Amino acid sequence: MVNLVIDGKQISVKENTTIMEAAAQNGIHIPKLCYLKGINEIAACRVCVVELEGKDKLITSCNNVAEEGMVIHTNSPKVRRDRKTNVELILSQHNCQCVACSRSGNCSLQSVANDLNIIDIPYKMEIEKQPWNNNFPLIRDSSKCIKCMRCIQVCDKVQGLSVWDVEGTGSRTTVNVGGHKNILEADCSLCGQCITHCPVGALSERNDTEKVWEAIADPDKIVVAQVAPAVRAAWGEQIGLAPEDATIGKILDALKRMGVDYVFDTVFSADLTIMEEGHEFVQRFTSGELKERPMFTSCCPGWIRFIKTQYPHLVKYLSSAKSPQQMFGAAMKTYFAEKLGVSPEKIYTVSVMPCVAKKGESEMELFYGEYAGRDIDTVITTRELVRMIRSAHISPDTLVDIESDRPMQAGTGAGVIFGATGGVMEAALRSAYYIIKGENPPADAFTAVRSQGFNENDGVQEADFQINDITVRTAVVSGLGNTRALLDKIERGEVHYDFVEVMACPGGCVGGGGQPIHDGEELAFERGKNLYYLDDNYDIRFSHENPDILQMYEEYFEKPMSHKAHMLLHTEHDAKIVNYGKGF
């Protein structure tokens, strides 16, 4: 242990604890902008400076370790003057139109400036403005960038893509797409982790809320919305509802009050995905097709973009099943349109997703006999949903639980855990077991694929399962840096699996790039626990027992992997991704 004094308080902390951590452990807050533990500890912003007795110059608390006998002052006149000057200089290069920013009210720079009582900027304003393709699902506003380098470090150290980099020198130092490329030329997966780790509004998702409002106002459109499992685990954080009160039923109620005609839970199509993907896995596994390489899940569009740019030769091992989002859209514009007796063109499909990559996934053109165009017309993130609720002046405490519409109403515990890393694998194995043995396993037989903590075990869970005389070797990985490491091991022949689930975001969809932002906090695994709790309490926990799924097959798709199911619920993967044009 190390003994020191911070702001007159005698404290003891473990060796190698930073001054910032030592203060925080004892209820002393030191402001910061650039710091992310284990990811970005470069003291770029210098907002966390403190005064060390016996030393003339102030020191940064985020990357200096507490030492025996130190006497630290975190709020001395010298510290306050220096900290205020640093923030004023940052503000002089920052677009301060806070009222027109998606992060207004949830911005670290705004909070620090308010706490320092900065009401005027004494320096000349020099705002940088770089061109950007505003058609792209991820938007960067260079005028708001504070050069904290977080986006660079998250993309490099966590996701392993190095999309962002530093360019320029001195006061002209800035952040841009690396390699002198534009964003369309970069290998961006659209995971959105740079957005959720940006302390300001320099990075955001493309705002598509007006598209939804316009569709609602169009008398010729029937607006149909679906809500992803991971959204219910997080939306309440942004709107002041406790987890137990932030139910899916209240989201559906909010959408109906906005004017959406029909509302559904994507848990339904997660079950539909398992029916197709589970049967596909059993078919490919038993035929010997997976002897060389495993079948990879295809639910995560960030992962799909990653494999197409980084490992295109492995694309053929992806499941051909569409994601739950896309399956729902396909069913909306065929099966549901037929139920309503309207043409598919009248159906306008909206997805509420925890994900930025879903915006890109929805923009693929698809053609089939019953309809032409897109499965999904517009995708909004969890954050955009909350903005729409506020825009509609809906008070959260007036929301009530309502059921989703029929005929696609029922869901299962297997479908709800799709939002957590390992959930797709666990749900698929529950049904694969049934397909092979003709009986259900215990619902909790495959919990070994569940992850236990943020980036624990390098983000990989391995488990082998015995079904009759068959051994199924599985792996679950989240985070693209972890994914690259796992794929390289597979390529080198160091490991072999039959079935691999990949989620681009650490912790899965619950930690997606479209989820509410809590600066410096990683909440994916806490949110995931919420989904597993819901699974435990579902009346039905197997996708193949969903009565509305069984009815849909009986009335429309015939059976899993049928010709019609293949045409509507599956896709042929190629190395192409959506082209957004120049758009500058």
Side-chain angles (χ1 to χ4, degrees), residues 225-235 246-249 251-252 255 263-270 299 323-326 328 350-355 358 361 379-382 385 415-420 509-510 515 531 534 538:
Q226 61 169 315
V227 182
V231 174
R232 77 203 64 197
W235 75 291
T247 58
I248 178 64
I251 300 176
L252 302 181
L255 290 167
V263 292
F264 296 97
D265 188 342
T266 311
V267 167
F268 173 88
S269 58
C299 299
S323 70
Q325 166 178 280
Q326 300 300 111
F328 219 133
V350 177
S351 296
V352 184
M353 293 285 145
C355 177
K358 286 292 181 187
E361 180 186 45
V379 176
I380 60 172
T381 62
T382 309
L385 167 69
V416 81
I417 59 176
F418 258 59
C509 305
V510 282
Q515 294 281 61
L531 298 186
L534 294 174
Y538 257 86

Side-chain angles (χ1 to χ4, degrees), residues 461-472:
Q461 294 292 126
E462 299 172 307
D464 293 353
F465 299 101
Q466 199 72 27
I467 305 176
N468 286 342
D469 58 347
I470 298 170
T471 300
V472 180

Side-chain angles (χ1 to χ4, degrees), residues 215-481:
I216 289 171
D218 188 339
D220 295 325
K221 294 292 183 187
I222 298 170
V223 181
V224 179
Q226 61 169 315
V227 182
V231 174
R232 77 203 64 197
W235 75 291
E237 300 165 6
Q238 203 172 347
I239 210 163
L241 290 176
E244 61 272 19
D245 296 325
T247 58
I248 178 64
K250 289 180 180 178
I251 300 176
L252 302 181
D253 183 32
L255 290 167
K256 284 272 188 166
R257 292 199 203 182
M258 290 178 203
V260 172
D261 297 300
Y262 295 94
V263 292
F264 296 97
D265 188 342
T266 311
V267 167
F268 173 88
S269 58
D271 286 330
L272 184 59
T273 299
I274 286 304
M275 294 296 284
E276 295 297 323
E277 192 168 75
H279 279 84
E280 180 189 8
F281 170 70
V282 171
Q283 185 183 94
R284 293 173 72 170
F285 179 75
T286 56
S287 70
E289 187 183 333
L290 306 179
K291 285 182 179 178
E292 296 298 320
R293 292 288 183 269
M295 187 178 94
F296 296 99
T297 57
S298 56
C299 299
C300 171
W303 149 239
I304 299 300
R305 291 177 69 92
F306 178 85
I307 194 172
K308 286 182 177 182
T309 59
Q310 308 295 306
Y311 297 85
H313 61 287
L314 295 180
V315 166
K316 61 185 176 182
Y317 296 104
L318 287 167
S319 165
S320 65
K322 290 180 180 178
S323 70
Q325 166 178 280
Q326 300 300 111
M327 282 197 184
F328 219 133
M332 289 292 102
K333 295 193 176 184
T334 54
Y335 175 71
F336 187 62
E338 195 175 280
K339 287 278 187 184
L340 294 181
V342 301
S343 69
E345 288 70 27
K346 286 186 71 71
I347 302 286
Y348 189 92
T349 49
V350 177
S351 296
V352 184
M353 293 285 145
C355 177
V356 179
K358 286 292 181 187
K359 290 178 182 278
E361 180 186 45
S362 71
E363 290 163 340
M364 297 182 294
E365 297 289 342
L366 299 162
F367 300 90
Y368 182 65
E370 277 85 350
Y371 75 101
R374 297 175 180 172
D375 288 337
I376 301 298
D377 294 297
T378 300
V379 176
I380 60 172
T381 62
T382 309
R383 294 190 295 268
E384 287 175 285
L385 167 69
V386 173
R387 291 204 294 270
M388 289 188 71
I389 290 172
R390 287 174 173 158
S391 176
H393 306 295
I394 297 170
S395 178
D397 58 7
T398 65
L399 293 170
V400 296
D401 281 300
I402 66 169
E403 291 186 325
S404 58
D405 287 304
R406 293 195 176 276
M408 292 169 284
Q409 184 180 85
T412 72
V416 81
I417 59 176
F418 258 59
T421 181
V424 177
M425 177 66 72
E426 186 172 349
L429 290 172
R430 290 180 192 178
S431 289
Y433 185 100
Y434 175 81
I435 294 165
I436 294 169
K437 292 197 68 169
E439 63 184 51
N440 285 338
D444 295 321
F446 305 107
T447 56
V449 300
R450 297 181 183 180
S451 195
Q452 304 301 314
F454 186 75
N455 268 357
E456 194 167 288
N457 302 323
D458 294 327
V460 179
Q461 294 292 126
E462 299 172 307
D464 293 353
F465 299 101
Q466 199 72 27
I467 305 176
N468 286 342
D469 58 347
I470 298 170
T471 300
V472 180
R473 293 162 292 186
T474 70
V476 169
V477 60
S478 70
L480 292 176

Side-chain angles (χ1 to χ4, degrees), residues 132-188:
W132 192 260
N133 185 332
N134 289 320
N135 295 325
F136 197 65
L138 185 153
I139 302 298
R140 181 171 186 272
D141 185 345
S142 59
S143 72
K144 296 176 182 175
C145 178
I146 62 171
K147 288 80 173 174
C148 68
M149 315 302 175
R150 282 191 187 184
C151 57
I152 296 173
Q153 302 278 39
V154 167
C155 193
D156 183 17
K157 292 181 179 178
V158 177
Q159 297 299 71
L161 280 170
S162 302
V163 169
W164 309 106
D165 204 352
V166 176
E167 64 181 29
T169 58
S171 64
R172 293 180 178 83
T173 300
T174 188
V175 175
N176 207 341
V177 179
H180 303 289
K181 298 176 181 178
N182 65 49
I183 192 63
L184 301 183
E185 297 164 336
D187 292 334
C188 179

Side-chain angles (χ1 to χ4, degrees), residues 81-244:
R81 282 195 304 271
D82 193 83
R83 191 175 285 157
K84 187 173 183 180
T85 299
N86 286 336
V87 175
E88 286 172 343
L89 286 167
I90 292 170
L91 289 170
S92 73
Q93 295 183 336
H94 178 77
N95 178 348
C96 296
Q97 292 182 319
C98 296
V99 294
C101 180
S102 63
R103 290 292 295 274
S104 183
N106 183 26
C107 168
S108 296
L109 178 59
Q110 191 179 55
S111 296
V112 169
N114 287 342
D115 290 347
L116 290 170
N117 194 31
I118 296 175
I119 57 176
D120 187 34
I121 302 168
Y123 304 103
K124 179 183 177 183
M125 300 293 289
E126 294 184 359
I127 309 299
E128 176 188 12
K129 189 64 179 176
Q130 298 171 354
W132 192 260
N133 185 332
N134 289 320
N135 295 325
F136 197 65
L138 185 153
I139 302 298
R140 181 171 186 272
D141 185 345
S142 59
S143 72
K144 296 176 182 175
C145 178
I146 62 171
K147 288 80 173 174
C148 68
M149 315 302 175
R150 282 191 187 184
C151 57
I152 296 173
Q153 302 278 39
V154 167
C155 193
D156 183 17
K157 292 181 179 178
V158 177
Q159 297 299 71
L161 280 170
S162 302
V163 169
W164 309 106
D165 204 352
V166 176
E167 64 181 29
T169 58
S171 64
R172 293 180 178 83
T173 300
T174 188
V175 175
N176 207 341
V177 179
H180 303 289
K181 298 176 181 178
N182 65 49
I183 192 63
L184 301 183
E185 297 164 336
D187 292 334
C188 179
S189 70
L190 286 175
C191 68
Q193 292 302 302
C194 57
I195 298 175
T196 56
H197 290 82
C198 176
V200 293
L203 291 160
S204 63
E205 71 273 44
R206 184 186 65 213
N207 183 359
D208 291 325
T209 57
E210 285 305 315
K211 296 177 185 176
V212 181
W213 288 122
E214 288 169 9
I216 289 171
D218 188 339
D220 295 325
K221 294 292 183 187
I222 298 170
V223 181
V224 179
Q226 61 169 315
V227 182
V231 174
R232 77 203 64 197
W235 75 291
E237 300 165 6
Q238 203 172 347
I239 210 163
L241 290 176
E244 61 272 19

Side-chain angles (χ1 to χ4, degrees), residues 41-59:
E41 300 175 341
I42 60 175
C45 68
R46 294 194 60 81
V47 172
C48 70
V49 292
V50 295
E51 185 174 357
L52 171 61
E53 283 191 12
K55 192 174 180 71
D56 289 337
K57 291 184 178 180
L58 299 178
I59 63 171

